[in-house]
Amino acid sequence: MLSPVTDPDGAPFWQYAAQGELRVQTCADCAEPRFPPRPCCPHCQSFASEWRPVSGQGRIWSYVVPHPPLLPDYAEQAPYNVIVVELTDAPRIRLVGNLVTGPDAPLGSFAPEQVRIGARVRAVFGDCGLPQWVLERS
Ligand code: ZN
């Protein structure tokens, strides 16, 4: 199984994800969200931060389809997509993940050739607490 490698700055992201919540580190002084997590606000240099919940809605800003050579754990799951999601609530925040057919679906469950830039997506959380993305049905 692929599981996240955490560091002290990013650990809260994974703790909330394990509870099925998508949260983004936000400056407690100027309210600017930032990603990846880090100690200092790049806008006002404050060290005060909090983790604000976001809706989990976004759109596909870009994507790639990785090709061999891949690390063994990934090669088993190819072909699969890797998408960059622009969050609706925080348009300057872009998260990297996979577009899948549902929570806990395998990486390759959504055909890479059907991924479209601009498509609306929302975050889902499987048993392993890893945020993934599904198409938003409107
Ligand atoms: Zn700030």
Side-chain angles (χ1 to χ4, degrees):
M1 180 193 294
L2 302 171
S3 51
V5 176
T6 64
D7 60 43
D9 292 324
F13 178 89
W14 298 108
Q15 288 160 5
Y16 287 117
Q19 300 164 27
E21 267 191 272
L22 191 65
R23 293 197 182 214
V24 171
Q25 188 188 36
T26 303
C27 177
D29 285 318
C30 77
E32 186 71 24
R34 62 181 185 261
F35 192 88
R38 49 198 182 274
C40 180
C41 175
H43 294 269
C44 75
Q45 286 73 53
S46 169
F47 282 88
S49 69
E50 57 194 17
W51 287 82
R52 291 207 181 147
V54 291
S55 69
Q57 294 175 316
R59 64 181 198 92
I60 298 175
W61 187 78
S62 187
Y63 73 97
V64 296
V65 179
H67 289 276
L70 299 168
L71 293 170
D73 283 347
Y74 289 93
E76 290 171 9
Q77 305 191 53
Y80 59 90
N81 64 75
V82 177
I83 62 173
V84 180
V85 176
E86 182 182 71
L87 295 181
T88 302
D89 299 340
R92 285 190 291 277
I93 302 296
R94 296 182 186 128
L95 303 180
V96 177
N98 307 102
L99 184 61
V100 293
T101 55
D104 288 322
L107 277 190
S109 61
F110 193 99
E113 63 272 16
Q114 293 180 1
V115 179
R116 296 289 177 267
I117 288 174
R120 291 169 48 210
V121 294
R122 66 179 167 82
V124 292
F125 298 86
D127 288 339
C128 65
L130 184 71
Q132 292 189 296
W133 302 89
V134 296
L135 282 184
E136 185 78 88
R137 307 287 177 195
S138 50

